[in-house]
Amino acid sequence: ELKVEQNPLFLSMQEGKNYTIYCNYSTTSDRLYWYRQDPGKSLESLFVLLSNGAVKQEGRLMASLDTKARLSTLHITAAVHDLSATYFCAVEIMEYGNKLVFGAGTILRVKS
Amino acid sequence: GAVVSQHPSRVICKSGTSVKIECRSLDFQATTMFWYRQFPKQSLMLMATSNEGSKATYEQGVEKDKFLINHASLTLSTLTVTSAHPEDSSFYICSASIGADTQYFGPGTRLTVL
Protein backbone atom coordinates (compact mmCIF):
# COMPACT_ATOMS: atom_id res chain seq x y z
CA GLU A 1 0.00 0.00 0.00
CA LEU A 2 1.33 3.38 -0.97
CA LYS A 3 1.80 5.78 1.93
CA VAL A 4 2.55 9.46 1.58
CA GLU A 5 3.82 11.40 4.57
CA GLN A 6 4.14 15.14 4.76
CA ASN A 7 5.84 17.19 7.39
CA PRO A 8 5.40 19.45 9.08
CA LEU A 9 1.61 19.36 9.32
CA PHE A 10 1.48 22.93 10.52
CA LEU A 11 3.92 25.69 9.84
CA SER A 12 3.78 29.20 11.19
CA MET A 13 6.41 31.50 9.83
CA GLN A 14 7.28 35.14 9.62
CA GLU A 15 7.24 37.04 6.38
CA GLY A 16 10.59 37.06 4.70
CA LYS A 17 11.71 33.72 6.09
CA ASN A 18 12.53 30.53 4.20
CA TYR A 19 11.23 27.07 4.93
CA THR A 20 10.82 23.63 3.40
CA ILE A 21 7.94 21.18 3.40
CA TYR A 22 8.84 17.52 2.99
CA CYS A 23 6.93 14.75 1.26
CA ASN A 24 8.05 11.13 1.65
CA TYR A 25 6.39 8.23 -0.13
CA SER A 26 6.73 4.52 0.29
CA THR A 27 6.93 3.05 -3.19
CA THR A 28 8.00 3.88 -6.72
CA SER A 29 5.83 6.57 -8.24
CA ASP A 30 5.27 7.83 -11.75
CA ARG A 31 4.39 11.42 -11.02
CA LEU A 32 4.43 13.63 -7.97
CA TYR A 33 2.23 16.68 -7.61
CA TRP A 34 2.08 19.68 -5.34
CA TYR A 35 -1.23 21.45 -4.81
CA ARG A 36 -2.39 24.50 -2.94
CA GLN A 37 -5.79 24.70 -1.25
CA ASP A 38 -7.32 27.88 0.15
CA PRO A 39 -10.05 27.60 2.81
CA GLY A 40 -13.34 26.45 1.32
CA LYS A 41 -11.81 26.02 -2.13
CA SER A 42 -10.70 23.14 -4.30
CA LEU A 43 -7.14 22.33 -5.32
CA GLU A 44 -4.88 24.54 -7.38
CA SER A 45 -2.14 22.70 -9.20
CA LEU A 46 1.33 24.05 -8.45
CA PHE A 47 3.85 21.56 -9.84
CA VAL A 48 4.10 18.14 -11.42
CA LEU A 49 7.45 16.37 -11.12
CA LEU A 50 8.20 13.47 -13.39
CA SER A 51 11.77 12.34 -13.03
CA ASN A 52 14.62 12.06 -10.57
CA GLY A 53 16.33 15.38 -10.02
CA ALA A 54 13.43 17.39 -11.40
CA VAL A 55 13.26 20.93 -10.08
CA LYS A 56 10.53 23.43 -10.84
CA GLN A 57 10.12 26.98 -9.64
CA GLU A 58 7.26 29.42 -9.69
CA GLY A 59 7.70 32.68 -7.88
CA ARG A 60 8.68 32.03 -4.26
CA LEU A 61 7.99 28.29 -4.47
CA MET A 62 10.40 25.66 -5.69
CA ALA A 63 9.72 21.94 -5.83
CA SER A 64 12.22 19.14 -6.26
CA LEU A 65 12.10 15.37 -6.56
CA ASP A 66 14.54 12.67 -5.49
CA THR A 67 13.07 9.36 -6.63
CA LYS A 68 15.87 7.33 -5.10
CA ALA A 69 15.14 8.73 -1.66
CA ARG A 70 11.39 8.82 -2.45
CA LEU A 71 11.36 12.39 -1.30
CA SER A 72 10.00 15.63 -2.67
CA THR A 73 10.44 19.06 -1.15
CA LEU A 74 8.56 22.31 -1.53
CA HIS A 75 10.80 25.21 -0.62
CA ILE A 76 9.40 28.60 0.25
CA THR A 77 11.66 31.58 -0.22
CA ALA A 78 11.05 34.90 1.53
CA ALA A 79 7.50 34.03 2.49
CA VAL A 80 4.70 36.54 2.07
CA HIS A 81 1.25 36.54 3.66
CA ASP A 82 -0.43 35.54 0.37
CA LEU A 83 1.26 32.17 0.55
CA SER A 84 -0.85 31.23 3.56
CA ALA A 85 -2.80 28.11 2.53
CA THR A 86 -2.74 24.34 2.87
CA TYR A 87 -0.24 22.54 0.66
CA PHE A 88 -0.63 18.94 -0.40
CA CYS A 89 1.71 16.59 -2.14
CA ALA A 90 0.20 13.68 -4.06
CA VAL A 91 1.76 10.65 -5.66
CA GLU A 92 0.42 9.00 -8.77
CA ILE A 93 0.97 5.43 -9.80
CA MET A 94 -0.13 4.59 -13.30
CA GLU A 95 -0.09 0.88 -12.56
CA TYR A 96 -2.98 1.54 -10.20
CA GLY A 97 -5.06 3.40 -12.74
CA ASN A 98 -3.53 6.83 -12.26
CA LYS A 99 -4.85 7.05 -8.73
CA LEU A 100 -3.55 9.90 -6.63
CA VAL A 101 -2.61 9.29 -3.01
CA PHE A 102 -2.42 12.50 -1.02
CA GLY A 103 -0.30 13.47 1.90
CA ALA A 104 -2.01 14.84 5.01
CA GLY A 105 -1.33 18.42 4.00
CA THR A 106 0.71 21.22 5.53
CA ILE A 107 -1.14 24.24 6.87
CA LEU A 108 1.06 27.26 6.27
CA ARG A 109 0.44 30.51 8.09
CA VAL A 110 2.65 33.43 7.18
CA LYS A 111 2.58 36.18 9.77
CA SER A 112 3.14 39.74 8.68
CA GLY B 1 -8.44 24.92 -21.18
CA ALA B 2 -9.05 21.84 -19.02
CA VAL B 3 -11.89 23.23 -16.96
CA VAL B 4 -13.96 21.01 -14.69
CA SER B 5 -17.19 22.24 -13.14
CA GLN B 6 -19.32 20.86 -10.34
CA HIS B 7 -22.92 21.49 -9.52
CA PRO B 8 -24.18 22.39 -7.05
CA SER B 9 -21.40 24.17 -5.17
CA ARG B 10 -23.30 23.86 -1.90
CA VAL B 11 -26.22 21.73 -0.87
CA ILE B 12 -28.07 21.33 2.40
CA CYS B 13 -30.46 18.42 2.75
CA LYS B 14 -32.41 16.57 5.39
CA SER B 15 -31.30 13.26 6.75
CA GLY B 16 -32.66 10.37 4.69
CA THR B 17 -32.86 12.19 1.40
CA SER B 18 -30.69 11.63 -1.67
CA VAL B 19 -28.43 14.20 -3.24
CA LYS B 20 -26.95 14.23 -6.73
CA ILE B 21 -23.72 16.03 -7.55
CA GLU B 22 -22.67 16.62 -11.16
CA CYS B 23 -19.13 16.82 -12.46
CA ARG B 24 -18.55 18.12 -15.99
CA SER B 25 -15.46 18.53 -18.11
CA LEU B 26 -16.23 21.70 -20.05
CA ASP B 27 -13.65 21.80 -22.78
CA PHE B 28 -12.33 18.28 -23.08
CA GLN B 29 -13.55 14.72 -23.14
CA ALA B 30 -12.62 12.91 -19.97
CA THR B 31 -12.05 9.20 -20.23
CA THR B 32 -11.71 8.92 -16.48
CA MET B 33 -13.29 10.81 -13.60
CA PHE B 34 -12.40 10.52 -9.94
CA TRP B 35 -14.45 11.34 -6.87
CA TYR B 36 -12.79 12.46 -3.64
CA ARG B 37 -14.13 13.28 -0.20
CA GLN B 38 -12.50 15.72 2.17
CA PHE B 39 -13.51 16.11 5.81
CA PRO B 40 -12.67 19.37 7.61
CA LYS B 41 -8.96 19.85 8.17
CA GLN B 42 -8.17 16.52 6.54
CA SER B 43 -6.70 15.39 3.28
CA LEU B 44 -8.49 14.19 0.18
CA MET B 45 -9.52 10.56 0.11
CA LEU B 46 -10.30 8.86 -3.18
CA MET B 47 -13.77 7.34 -3.16
CA ALA B 48 -14.03 5.89 -6.64
CA THR B 49 -12.76 5.95 -10.19
CA SER B 50 -15.17 5.94 -13.09
CA ASN B 51 -14.61 5.36 -16.77
CA GLU B 52 -17.14 6.35 -19.36
CA GLY B 53 -19.61 3.59 -20.09
CA SER B 54 -18.41 1.20 -17.40
CA LYS B 55 -19.03 0.61 -13.74
CA ALA B 56 -17.15 2.66 -11.21
CA THR B 57 -14.33 1.14 -9.19
CA TYR B 58 -14.75 1.92 -5.51
CA GLU B 59 -11.99 2.20 -2.96
CA GLN B 60 -11.97 -0.10 0.01
CA GLY B 61 -14.42 0.95 2.67
CA VAL B 62 -16.61 3.05 0.35
CA GLU B 63 -20.18 1.75 0.15
CA LYS B 64 -21.11 1.44 -3.49
CA ASP B 65 -24.82 1.25 -2.70
CA LYS B 66 -24.65 4.49 -0.79
CA PHE B 67 -22.49 6.46 -3.20
CA LEU B 68 -23.82 5.79 -6.67
CA ILE B 69 -21.60 6.90 -9.49
CA ASN B 70 -22.67 7.20 -13.10
CA HIS B 71 -20.37 8.19 -15.94
CA ALA B 72 -22.82 8.37 -18.79
CA SER B 73 -20.77 10.44 -21.21
CA LEU B 74 -17.24 11.65 -21.76
CA THR B 75 -18.10 14.99 -20.19
CA LEU B 76 -20.39 14.10 -17.29
CA SER B 77 -20.15 12.01 -14.16
CA THR B 78 -22.63 12.09 -11.30
CA LEU B 79 -22.32 11.11 -7.66
CA THR B 80 -25.54 10.37 -5.81
CA VAL B 81 -25.42 10.16 -2.05
CA THR B 82 -28.37 7.99 -1.16
CA SER B 83 -30.19 8.21 2.17
CA ALA B 84 -27.76 10.84 3.37
CA HIS B 85 -26.93 11.13 7.05
CA PRO B 86 -25.07 13.82 8.99
CA GLU B 87 -21.85 11.79 8.86
CA ASP B 88 -21.93 12.12 5.05
CA SER B 89 -21.49 15.87 5.39
CA SER B 90 -18.25 16.66 3.66
CA PHE B 91 -16.56 18.45 0.77
CA TYR B 92 -16.82 16.34 -2.38
CA ILE B 93 -14.35 17.06 -5.16
CA CYS B 94 -14.24 15.48 -8.60
CA SER B 95 -11.41 15.40 -11.07
CA ALA B 96 -11.19 14.44 -14.72
CA SER B 97 -8.41 13.20 -16.93
CA ILE B 98 -7.78 12.26 -20.52
CA GLY B 99 -6.21 8.83 -20.60
CA ALA B 100 -3.13 8.81 -18.39
CA ASP B 101 -2.84 12.59 -18.42
CA THR B 102 -2.89 14.71 -15.29
CA GLN B 103 -6.11 15.14 -13.31
CA TYR B 104 -7.99 18.44 -13.46
CA PHE B 105 -9.97 19.22 -10.34
CA GLY B 106 -13.44 20.66 -10.03
CA PRO B 107 -14.29 23.43 -7.54
CA GLY B 108 -15.92 21.05 -5.08
CA THR B 109 -19.39 20.61 -3.57
CA ARG B 110 -20.02 21.19 0.11
CA LEU B 111 -22.70 18.84 1.38
CA THR B 112 -24.39 19.47 4.71
CA VAL B 113 -26.86 16.89 5.96
CA LEU B 114 -29.12 18.08 8.78
Side-chain angles (χ1 to χ4, degrees):
Chain A
E1 181 190 349
L2 172 61
K3 293 188 188 297
V4 181
E5 293 185 353
Q6 263 181 261
N7 69 83
L9 299 182
F10 182 77
L11 178 54
S12 179
M13 54 192 299
Q14 294 285 343
E15 277 193 329
K17 298 293 187 183
N18 305 331
Y19 210 83
T20 301
I21 300 170
Y22 297 88
C23 176
N24 289 91
Y25 53 98
S26 60
T27 190
T28 306
S29 76
D30 293 294
R31 290 190 280 223
L32 189 138
Y33 298 83
W34 284 97
Y35 296 95
R36 169 182 171 142
Q37 186 178 39
D38 291 298
K41 304 291 186 183
S42 188
L43 301 182
E44 174 190 351
S45 179
L46 296 175
F47 303 105
V48 54
L49 303 169
L50 303 178
S51 58
N52 188 43
V55 177
K56 290 193 175 180
Q57 182 161 6
E58 181 73 35
R60 300 175 187 276
L61 301 178
M62 183 174 71
S64 66
L65 179 62
D66 181 345
T67 58
K68 294 179 182 177
R70 296 177 182 165
L71 169 69
S72 179
T73 61
L74 180 66
H75 186 74
I76 303 154
T77 302
V80 292
H81 181 70
D82 286 351
L83 289 179
S84 297
T86 300
Y87 293 85
F88 292 97
C89 66
V91 175
E92 181 180 34
I93 302 180
M94 293 185 189
E95 180 184 345
Y96 298 146
N98 296 96
K99 286 194 255 188
L100 286 176
V101 178
F102 283 82
T106 298
I107 300 173
L108 173 66
R109 294 288 175 261
V110 181
K111 295 183 285 189
S112 42
Chain B
V3 178
V4 176
S5 70
Q6 280 183 244
H7 178 79
S9 57
R10 290 178 176 270
V11 57
I12 300 172
C13 69
K14 292 183 179 179
S15 188
T17 60
S18 294
V19 174
K20 181 184 284 188
I21 302 169
E22 292 186 350
C23 175
R24 293 182 185 272
S25 55
L26 298 185
D27 50 3
F28 66 101
Q29 294 189 320
T31 51
T32 306
M33 289 187 170
F34 302 84
W35 286 95
Y36 296 85
R37 180 168 54 182
Q38 185 181 32
F39 291 109
K41 299 192 188 305
Q42 293 189 25
S43 187
L44 278 74
M45 295 298 293
L46 179 65
M47 299 174 67
T49 304
S50 75
N51 294 292
E52 186 264 339
S54 60
K55 288 185 179 179
T57 302
Y58 290 81
E59 294 300 297
Q60 197 169 12
V62 177
E63 300 174 59
K64 58 183 68 175
D65 293 333
K66 180 167 188 62
F67 299 99
L68 301 178
I69 292 171
N70 184 284
H71 193 163
S73 75
L74 286 172
T75 59
L76 173 64
S77 176
T78 60
L79 167 68
T80 301
V81 183
T82 63
S83 187
H85 291 284
E87 58 264 30
D88 298 322
S89 298
S90 188
F91 194 43
Y92 292 87
I93 305 174
C94 74
S95 69
S97 67
I98 307 168
D101 198 3
T102 191
Q103 294 180 30
Y104 299 96
F105 285 85
T109 296
R110 187 159 305 282
L111 170 64
T112 303
V113 184
L114 302 176

